């Protein structure tokens, strides 16, 4: 794996070179000399995240939980101004 570094200016001027570099490893994009962003290929991103595509998968909830319907009781309390004294 090759790590490549681009300044923000270099990245803006030659995005296609950065995309090509991301095929061989992460591309660090610096802002004022400090790493600010990382460009990854989609394959590498999926490998790192385990291919999880949605919030249900990420939270590790059991299959079928997205089909559960819930009703929340409506509040009948009247809003009032906050006491800031």
């Amino acid at each position: 794996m090759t790590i490549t570094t681009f300044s923000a200016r270099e990245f803006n001027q030659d995005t296609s070179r950065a995309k090509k570099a991301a095929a061989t490893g992460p591309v660090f994009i610096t802002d004022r000399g400090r790493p600010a962003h990382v460009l990854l290929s989609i394959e590498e991103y999926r490998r790192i995240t385990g291919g999880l595509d949605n919030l249900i998968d990420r939270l590790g909830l059991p299959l079928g939980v997205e089909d559960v319907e819930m009703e929340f009781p409506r509040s009948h309390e009247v809003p009032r101004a906050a006491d800031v004294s």
Side-chain angles (χ1 to χ4, degrees), residues 48-60:
I48 290 171
T49 63
L52 300 174
D53 292 328
N54 62 50
L55 185 59
I56 299 295
D57 291 340
R58 291 182 186 275
L59 292 174

Side-chain angles (χ1 to χ4, degrees), residues 6 10-11 14-23 25 27 29 39:
F6 280 74
E10 290 171 319
F11 177 76
D14 201 351
T15 307
S16 63
R17 193 173 113 222
K19 291 191 316 188
K20 288 176 187 171
V27 176
I29 303 165
L39 178 65

Side-chain angles (χ1 to χ4, degrees), residues 1-4 17-27 40-41 44:
M1 170 176 30
T2 303
I3 298 175
T4 308
R17 193 173 113 222
K19 291 191 316 188
K20 288 176 187 171
T24 62
V27 176
L40 302 170
S41 67
E44 183 66 9

Side-chain angles (χ1 to χ4, degrees), residues 63-82:
L63 293 176
V65 75
E66 66 274 8
D67 297 327
V68 173
E69 292 185 26
M70 297 181 71
E71 289 187 31
F72 296 95
R74 185 175 183 128
S75 174
H76 296 290
E77 294 181 21
V78 177
R80 55 188 163 87

Side-chain angles (χ1 to χ4, degrees), residues 80-85:
R80 55 188 163 87
D83 181 11
V84 292
S85 58

